[in-house]
Amino acid sequence: MPLALYALTVGAFGIGVTEFVIMGLLLQVSADLGVSIPQAGLLMTGYALGVFVGAPILTIATRRLPRKTTLLVLMAIFTVGNVAAALAPNYGLLMVARIVTALAHGTFFGVGSMVAMSLVAPERKASAIAIMFTGLTLATLLGVPFGSWLGLAFGWRSTFWAVGAIGLVALVVLTVLVPRDKVAAEPGPLREEFAVLARPQVQMGLLMTVLGFGGVFAVFTYIQPILTQLAGFSKEAVSPILLVFGAGLVGGNLVGGRWADKALAPALLGSLGLLTLVLVASAFGFHDRGGAVVAAFALGAAAFATVAPLQMRVLQQAGGAGQGLASSLNIAAFNLGNAFGAWLGGAVIAHGPGLSAVPLIAAAVPLSALGLAALSLSIERRELKAA
């Protein structure tokens, strides 16, 4: 595999860290800026909404630029956003910095996937994309726990300075290693790309993604107070447990991908059903230290077992010229789910039954995604039978 692929991996790693690390810093940000924990959790919501808005807009705005140029512009936006977050004097400006950083997220992964495929032979395209997305996996497995520890030891601002430094490193390696486009690709008509969004099956697929990850992030956004206030762990213990969550994420992602390759429909239904059951069980597991560690691993595994089936479902239903935009929008849908989940968890804490009820209420969200998936597959079977 060419070195340019690993340059993309570095960029994906930095983006993954900056998205998720705020969940390990909620208590520090809350105390330092004088806001409540649910308000601090909205920094995750703001980032996710930035991805949701930025992914389609920047994908369309940069469609005529050389791909390498697009990647460099996006990584520059990412770096500036993290530096601004580190310098933010108050909650409002920190939120703005998070949203600016998020604008680069969806388009980086969309354009990066196309660059990754262009670097290798046709039979290795899937492996090339997997290598790039390894950066996101490593961010959750290693980067987020380290960032949480760094914020605890030296203050939450130090974490954003560190991620900004990763952005600079990524900018340099992308400049040096990623080749320029040999031939400028002429994009197809916009109307053909947008036409795919009118398909009901694509719309249902995107909504499944929102609902599936909404349940995950209703819990994961508030994992630090859940582990400290419910399970009784110290703040110092949160980072090692996030490492356990990351290990589950890696395993679940691999299993979900293989499952979807063998049988997409059963994988879609099975992974959403499993996620629902894990969230219900974690409502009880998070009240015990041993149970909390098991619940963290299981939540990571179940959450990312849904990624490949959900992504494949949207791409399968999109097809043709609209696949690129559909792929970008599905990344945006994942992040809209993150935003919805962070809001839901905060609402349950601030206005509902409280922190202990978050996992049980969160389970209703992927359960609704499971029902939608069953309806979508049923409609598809009827249409095929009629045809």
Side-chain angles (χ1 to χ4, degrees):
M1 290 291 184
L3 287 175
L5 276 177
Y6 301 100
L8 296 171
T9 303
V10 174
F13 176 81
I15 289 174
V17 173
T18 202
E19 178 176 19
F20 298 130
V21 77
I22 194 69
M23 290 174 286
L25 303 172
L26 289 185
L27 298 180
Q28 294 92 308
V29 171
S30 171
D32 186 47
L33 298 182
V35 296
S36 68
I37 290 175
Q39 283 179 298
L42 289 177
L43 292 167
M44 182 69 194
T45 303
Y47 184 97
L49 290 175
V51 177
F52 181 75
V53 173
I57 291 176
L58 286 181
T59 297
I60 293 167
T62 59
R63 62 200 293 265
R64 295 188 181 278
L65 288 178
R67 289 170 179 171
K68 179 174 181 177
T69 302
T70 300
L71 290 174
L72 294 177
V73 169
L74 295 171
M75 193 49 58
I77 292 171
F78 167 82
T79 304
V80 169
N82 277 289
V83 171
L87 294 171
N90 55 52
Y91 175 80
L93 289 178
L94 178 58
M95 178 66 81
V96 171
R98 290 279 293 168
I99 293 171
V100 169
T101 307
L103 295 176
H105 183 123
T107 307
F108 182 90
F109 281 103
V111 174
S113 295
M114 292 186 286
V115 171
M117 290 190 294
S118 73
L119 294 171
V120 298
E123 66 273 13
R124 306 190 76 184
K125 286 183 177 181
S127 296
I129 292 174
I131 287 177
M132 185 190 75
F133 274 87
T134 298
L136 190 60
T137 304
L138 290 175
T140 311
L141 178 61
L142 302 175
V144 172
F146 177 75
S148 300
W149 171 83
L150 191 67
L152 184 65
F154 301 103
W156 62 269
R157 296 177 190 275
S158 65
T159 301
F160 286 104
W161 282 116
V163 179
I166 294 171
L168 283 176
V169 171
L171 199 57
V172 171
V173 295
L174 287 168
T175 301
V176 173
L177 296 177
V178 174
R180 295 197 174 275
D181 298 354
K182 294 178 181 178
V183 179
E186 184 64 28
L190 266 178
R191 65 179 180 276
E192 292 184 11
E193 296 194 35
F194 279 113
V196 74
L197 304 182
R199 299 177 189 172
Q201 287 287 10
V202 172
Q203 294 168 359
M204 284 190 282
L206 294 172
L207 183 55
M208 279 180 241
T209 298
V210 173
L211 295 172
F213 261 60
V216 173
F217 278 83
V219 175
F220 191 38
T221 302
Y222 301 96
I223 193 67
Q224 188 183 39
I226 284 173
L227 291 174
T228 55
Q229 296 177 25
L230 294 185
F233 285 105
S234 66
K235 292 180 184 178
E236 291 77 9
V238 172
S239 292
I241 296 172
L242 287 178
L243 198 64
V244 173
F245 174 87
L249 180 155
V250 174
N253 189 44
L254 293 173
V255 171
R258 292 177 182 175
W259 195 1
D261 279 337
K262 290 181 179 179
L264 180 56
L268 185 66
L269 296 172
S271 60
L272 289 170
L274 178 63
L275 176 58
T276 301
L277 292 175
V278 166
L279 284 168
V280 171
S282 69
F284 305 95
F286 278 127
H287 288 272
D288 172 78
R289 288 191 177 187
V293 174
V294 174
F297 178 85
L299 180 59
F304 275 74
T306 67
V307 171
L310 288 168
Q311 182 78 355
M312 285 298 297
R313 179 65 180 174
V314 169
L315 289 174
Q316 181 193 67
Q317 297 303 314
Q323 274 194 324
L325 183 59
S327 179
S328 175
L329 283 172
N330 203 43
I331 293 172
F334 277 114
N335 284 273
L336 184 60
N338 298 355
F340 168 66
W343 169 84
L344 177 63
V348 172
I349 295 169
H351 308 294
L355 188 65
S356 62
V358 169
L360 200 57
I361 292 175
V365 186
L367 181 61
S368 63
L370 177 61
L372 184 61
L375 174 63
S376 174
L377 291 168
S378 175
I379 292 171
E380 183 181 38
R381 282 194 297 269
R382 286 202 300 268
E383 289 175 347
L384 289 172
K385 190 178 292 186

